[in-house]
Each structure stands twice: as C-alpha cells, then as structure tokens.
Amino acid sequence: MTYKFQLSKWQLIAWSTGLLLSTPLFFLLVESLQGDSEVFTHLWNTVLWDYISNTVLLVLGVGLLSCLIALPLGWLTAYCRFPGKQQFEWALMLPLAMPTYIIAYVYTDLLDYAGPIQITLREWFGWQSPNDYWFFDIRTLPGAIIMIALVLYPYLYLIFKTALREQSFKLVQASQLMGLSAWKSFFKVSLVLSRGAIVAALALISMETMADFATVSYFAVSTLTTAVYDTWFGYYSLTAAAKISGVMLLLLFLALITERFSRRNQAVFERQSSVNSEALYILKGKSAWLATGFCSLILIISFIIPMVVLLKYAITYFDQAWSSEFFSYAWQSLKVAAVVSVVTIVLSVLVVFYQRIAKQANPLIPGRLASTGYALPGTVLAIAVLLPLTLLENTINRILTPYDLDIGLLLTGSLLTIIFAYIVRFYAVAHGAIESSFSRISPSLDMASQSMGKSQGHTLRLVHLPLLRRGLLTAGLLVFIECMKELPAALLLRPFDFESLATHVFQYVSDEQLELASISALFIVVVGFIPLYFINRSMEQRS
C-alpha cells in the first residue's frame, strides 16, 4: 500500500507540472483558432506575407552563414593541429554570451555613414558624399543575418565538433588511404556522417533566429516576431497576436520535425570506436597560419571587437553608466533569475525522478508537456501566458464582485507573470541537463536503497541529490543566464515599475545611447561566461 501511495504522489506532481507549464501553449492554440479577426484579416491582406518572407529569408540566411563559419571551425579544432588550437577550442564559444542587439549596435556605430570606418575611407580617397561611393548598409536584412549568425554560430560549432569527435577516426583514416585529400575527406566523409547533428543544430539556430526580437527591431526588419509585438502594442488585439503566433508555431514545428527526423537517421552513424586524442592532420607552414588566421578573424569579429567597444564606452562614460539605476536593475534581474532557477530545478528533479521510478506506460509525457514552452519565442510566449492568466484574473474578479472586492491586475500586473513565463520558457533547459545527469546514476543504487528499507523520497534525497550536484549546478546556471538575457517576454510582461538589465540596455540601444548602459551590457556578457566555462570544462573532462 505504501508503495502505491508514494508512486501516486510522484505521478500527481509530474502530471500537474506538465499540464501547468503546457497550459499557455494550449490557450494559444485555442485562441488562434477563434473566429475571424479584423486586425488579422487586415494584416493578412497587406503586410503579413512580407513578415513571413522576411522571417524565412532571415532563418535561411542565418543557417547558411552559420554553416560557412561553424563547419570549418569545428573540423579544424576537432581534426587538426595548428598554432593556438587549444585556446580557440573554448574561445570560439564566447560569442554565445553576447546578446545580439549589443553586437548589432556596435557594428552599426562602426559602419554607419558617420562611423569611424566610413569617415576614414572618405579621408583616404577624398570622397565628399554618399553618391561618390558604395558602402554596405548594415541596417538591412543581410545586416541582421550577419549579426545574428555571429552570435548563434557556436551552437553549430559545438555540436558539429562533438559529432566529429564521436565518430570513428578509422573512417577518416581509411579515406586518406584511398587517396582523398583533406578537403575531399571533409565533404565526403565528415559532413555525411555528421549530417544528423548538423540538421539538429540548424533547427536550434532556426528557433533562436525566429525568436530574436531586438536585432530585427533595431534594424527595422519586419518579421513575425516584430509583428506579434506591434499587433499587441499597436492594435491591442490579443486574438490577432495569437493568430500570428500560430503562424510562427507552424514554422517552429517544421524545424522541430526536421530535427527529430534527422535524429532518427543519426542512429545509423553512431561511433564505432573511442576517440583518438591525436590530431589527424598536423598543419604546417601556410596551412597552419591560414587556420589560425581564420579562427582569429571569426573570434575578433564576433567577440573581441564588441567587447573592446563596450570596455571603451564603460571607461569613457563611467560616471553616467555606474548609476543607481544599474544597481537597481541588476538586483531585480538577479532576484528574478534566482527564483526562476530554483523553481525550475525543483520541478525538473521531481518530474525526471518520476520518469525514473514510474511503472506506468509513457512516463516521459509529463516532461515533454512541461518542455513545450522552450519552443515558443519570447513574444509568442508572452501572449500565451497572458491568455490563461487574464482569464483567471477576470474569473476571480467576477466571483468577488458581489462582495465589493477586486484584485485588479494582481497576476498580469505583477512580477508573478514574468516569473511564470520564464519558468515555462526555460524549464526545458533544466530538464535536459538534469535528465542527462540522472541517466548516469546506476539503477543498482536505487535497488540497494530499497533493499535497505528506504522510501523513494529518501532515495531521492540521500542518494540521487548528492550525485546530481554538478548537474543541478549546470542546470541552474544555464537557466539563470537565459533569464538574465531574455528580452521580448520581459518587454511585453514587465510591470510598470520593473526594469531588467536586458530591457534597460535595449532601451538605450533603441535610443542610440548604448554607451550610457555600457556597464549593464558588460555585466550581462560577463555573467554569460560562467555557464560557458562549466560547459567547456565538462567537455574536457569527457574527452
């Protein structure tokens, strides 16, 4: 009897978490299928197709440019030996810590007509006006593609490099014996064997690209993400915003289906031998310096130049940037991120533990339901969260009306909405990390604990949690940093008296005054180094 009672308790917790965190997606789908909306019909007949085409072009462009950057980098650092390789292996991940709108502002400032590069060119060649020469306009769709790809390419770089190292080196060595050059071996062996991992990484990059709001908004590129934001704040039409969100979901599901399909095929290409620590290609002379030069160029463009500019701003405008606002917004951001991290870790541990002990069919369903929020871009998530909370708020107010009571905007006008939205959005991040850590704990430890008469709760507390320390820390840090960087949901859901560091920095970016928020921007970037350090350390230990 005791066993059945405890199992029912874990089952109840897991299913409650799954249903609660998937509620926004369910409401969004229902709302998007509601009757005709005049606003949506107007958008459909005028500008919606431009939004869709821009979104598709943006996703394709970022994916293509990420391939051109990340695939050579992954191959060089996985298979080759050249000067600086050890440093480049981890340094090339650093752009992930840089919010896209910061790098977009930095390059706009450098490349604009009034920027230092064009001024220098005009002085050198004696040009007097824009009619005398052509120069790349950064504030365009191609400009947005370059900026986003410079930040997102590390996803593909990391996944591709890991896939190469998990392949059997003997296959590449066999291609060498058959007379294939390094380039032919790269295209005919490495790329083919890694195509599942590449597609999976591109699906992740596609979702992140569709979720980007700040860069496309700053560059005035109309995409579905900006359409949701403009519809909500311009027309105050929740139904129309939900319908546009539904269009985005269709594109996202296409990316997810592609990713799942690629993983199904990936099983054919599992590794056949352990990793060889020796480099397959030892580059010398011109080849070695070309490899070092390429890695250096990408690192300089994607990370070092923006960091140098931010540091210069921070030193020059220290008195204005080091303000009470910075401390206030930093404290508010840290507070929200800490609460969300703790809650997501607790929920993830309980749900994954249920998966481990469940005897029922399909124990993975609650976890999959709870993870659906990660597929929602910030603007879409904000609309999805508002729908059930507004309904709940209105229902409570109607019940309290006969008693002359009114809770007002207790839910949608408070921090609770942002915290709930962040939990829905980033639960999947914690779930994945903790699920991976749980899988490395031998089931024999569970059986040993049970044989000693310990309950499942005691087993979780005394056996599993101590062994999960590193996984819990990694999961918490990842969620924490994602919360610190999250912008669209915070812009749409923040209460009137709340600003996060991300919204604070974006406000100054929009006003062309990033220098006055440079310390806040640096704080976000530096905090982003922490999970990258742990991820790199974890990868080194596995190697």
Side-chain angles (χ1 to χ4, degrees):
M1 287 298 292
T2 302
Y3 178 79
K4 287 184 178 177
F5 172 77
Q6 288 176 333
L7 188 60
S8 298
K9 181 176 66 177
W10 300 115
Q11 192 175 13
L12 178 64
I13 292 172
W15 277 95
S16 299
T17 302
L19 292 174
L20 177 65
L21 299 189
S22 61
T23 298
L25 177 61
F26 171 75
F27 270 77
L28 180 68
L29 292 174
V30 172
E31 186 69 24
S32 64
L33 296 175
Q34 293 298 311
D36 193 19
S37 162
E38 288 185 9
V39 174
F40 182 77
T41 304
H42 170 70
L43 293 174
W44 181 271
N45 293 328
T46 53
V47 295
L48 193 58
W49 283 106
D50 290 335
Y51 291 147
I52 295 174
S53 61
N54 281 343
T55 303
V56 172
L57 289 174
L58 185 71
V59 169
L60 292 177
V62 171
L64 177 61
L65 188 55
S66 297
C67 285
L68 294 176
I69 295 173
L71 296 182
L73 291 178
W75 184 79
L76 285 170
T77 53
Y79 281 174
C80 302
R81 184 185 300 168
F82 56 92
K85 172 194 170 179
Q86 197 170 359
Q87 289 71 33
F88 285 124
E89 279 197 75
W90 66 269
L92 289 168
M93 296 191 295
L94 291 177
L96 274 180
M98 187 74 67
T100 54
Y101 52 90
I102 291 179
I103 199 171
Y105 176 86
V106 167
Y107 278 105
T108 301
D109 200 36
L110 291 175
L111 299 174
D112 260 356
Y113 181 75
I117 293 178
Q118 290 205 51
I119 289 176
T120 304
L121 288 175
R122 288 197 294 273
E123 290 174 352
W124 282 356
F125 296 101
W127 297 326
Q128 300 298 319
S129 71
N131 297 327
D132 295 337
Y133 65 100
W134 175 90
F135 195 84
F136 177 69
D137 185 3
I138 189 71
R139 288 199 175 194
T140 56
L141 179 61
I145 289 172
I146 295 171
M147 295 299 103
I148 297 174
L150 286 176
V151 173
L152 297 183
Y153 84 80
Y155 285 119
L156 179 56
Y157 161 71
L158 281 171
I159 294 173
F160 180 57
K161 185 176 71 172
T162 304
L164 288 179
R165 287 185 168 170
E166 290 182 346
Q167 291 171 8
S168 171
F169 274 27
K170 292 179 181 176
L171 293 173
V172 182
Q173 289 171 332
S175 70
Q176 290 177 311
L177 292 174
M178 294 173 68
L180 290 183
S181 65
W183 280 109
K184 286 185 178 178
S185 175
F186 171 69
F187 285 107
K188 294 189 175 182
V189 179
S190 301
L191 281 186
V192 173
L193 292 177
S194 306
R195 65 174 183 266
I198 294 171
V199 175
L202 288 176
L204 179 60
I205 289 175
S206 300
M207 288 191 287
E208 292 290 336
T209 303
M210 275 191 274
D212 181 85
F213 168 77
T215 305
V216 292
S217 174
Y218 182 61
F219 280 7
V221 175
S222 300
T223 64
L224 287 171
T225 305
T226 60
V228 173
Y229 185 87
D230 294 341
T231 303
W232 173 236
F233 278 104
Y235 299 98
Y236 294 101
S237 174
L238 205 56
T239 302
K243 287 180 178 297
I244 297 172
S245 301
V247 176
M248 285 191 74
L249 284 180
L250 283 176
L251 296 177
L252 287 168
F253 284 143
L254 282 176
L256 287 173
I257 290 170
T258 305
E259 188 265 349
R260 295 294 176 190
F261 184 77
S262 69
R263 281 195 184 189
R264 190 185 65 174
N265 290 337
Q266 195 178 17
V268 178
F269 308 107
E270 290 293 334
R271 61 181 175 181
Q272 300 168 18
S273 66
S274 59
V275 176
N276 189 342
S277 59
E278 293 297 323
L280 279 172
Y281 302 101
I282 299 174
L283 304 182
K284 296 179 180 177
K286 188 186 294 183
S287 300
W289 290 112
L290 279 175
T292 302
F294 180 65
C295 294
S296 303
L297 178 66
I298 298 300
L299 184 62
I300 290 171
I301 293 175
S302 61
F303 185 75
I304 293 178
I305 288 178
M307 276 298 288
V308 170
V309 172
L310 282 180
L311 286 170
K312 180 187 173 187
Y313 285 158
I315 295 171
T316 307
Y317 297 90
F318 181 81
D319 291 340
Q320 296 98 317
W322 188 259
S323 62
S324 58
E325 289 181 335
F326 163 67
F327 290 102
S328 173
Y329 300 152
W331 170 243
Q332 292 184 145
S333 299
L334 292 171
K335 188 170 58 177
V336 171
V339 171
V340 174
S341 300
V342 171
V343 174
T344 50
I345 286 174
V346 171
L347 293 177
S348 301
V349 168
L350 295 175
V351 172
V352 176
F353 183 65
Y354 164 71
Q355 292 176 191
R356 186 178 179 91
I357 64 174
K359 305 297 181 186
Q360 294 83 2
N362 300 317
L364 300 180
I365 293 178
R368 298 295 178 263
L369 282 174
S371 302
T372 52
Y374 191 64
L376 301 177
T379 51
V380 176
L381 174 67
I383 301 299
V385 166
L386 279 176
L387 290 168
L389 291 183
T390 304
L391 178 64
L392 178 61
E393 211 168 54
N394 292 337
T395 303
I396 294 174
N397 280 325
R398 278 197 298 272
I399 294 172
L400 296 177
T401 299
Y403 306 99
D404 292 330
L405 296 173
D406 187 353
I407 64 169
L409 302 176
L410 179 65
L411 298 176
T412 56
S414 70
L415 275 181
L416 288 174
T417 308
I418 288 186
I419 291 174
F420 179 59
Y422 283 5
I423 292 171
V424 173
R425 176 91 165 89
F426 301 123
Y427 169 86
V429 176
H431 183 96
I434 293 172
E435 191 175 39
S436 173
S437 297
F438 251 116
S439 67
R440 290 195 286 272
I441 299 177
S442 171
S444 61
L445 293 176
D446 299 41
M447 291 185 279
S449 177
Q450 289 176 7
S451 67
M452 296 172 68
K454 300 295 183 185
S455 67
Q456 289 167 331
H458 279 92
T459 303
L460 173 64
R461 184 165 58 86
L462 300 175
V463 178
H464 293 152
L465 289 182
L467 296 174
L468 289 171
R469 283 199 304 270
R470 181 173 295 173
L472 296 179
L473 178 63
T474 303
L477 284 172
L478 289 173
V479 173
F480 187 88
I481 302 308
E482 290 290 344
C483 291
M484 293 290 292
K485 292 168 60 178
E486 173 61 30
L487 176 66
L491 279 175
L492 284 161
L493 298 174
R494 60 182 166 168
F496 292 113
D497 58 346
F498 177 84
E499 288 280 357
S500 67
L501 278 181
T503 60
H504 171 63
V505 172
F506 180 67
Q507 186 61 48
Y508 278 95
V509 167
S510 302
D511 295 339
E512 309 278 350
Q513 294 181 317
L514 175 62
E515 55 273 12
L516 300 182
S518 52
I519 293 180
S520 301
L522 273 175
F523 186 81
I524 295 174
V525 175
V526 172
V527 170
F529 291 165
I530 300 171
L532 293 177
Y533 167 78
F534 279 97
I535 291 171
N536 181 61
R537 190 176 171 187
S538 174
M539 292 177 67
E540 286 180 349
Q541 287 174 346
R542 289 184 190 180
S543 299

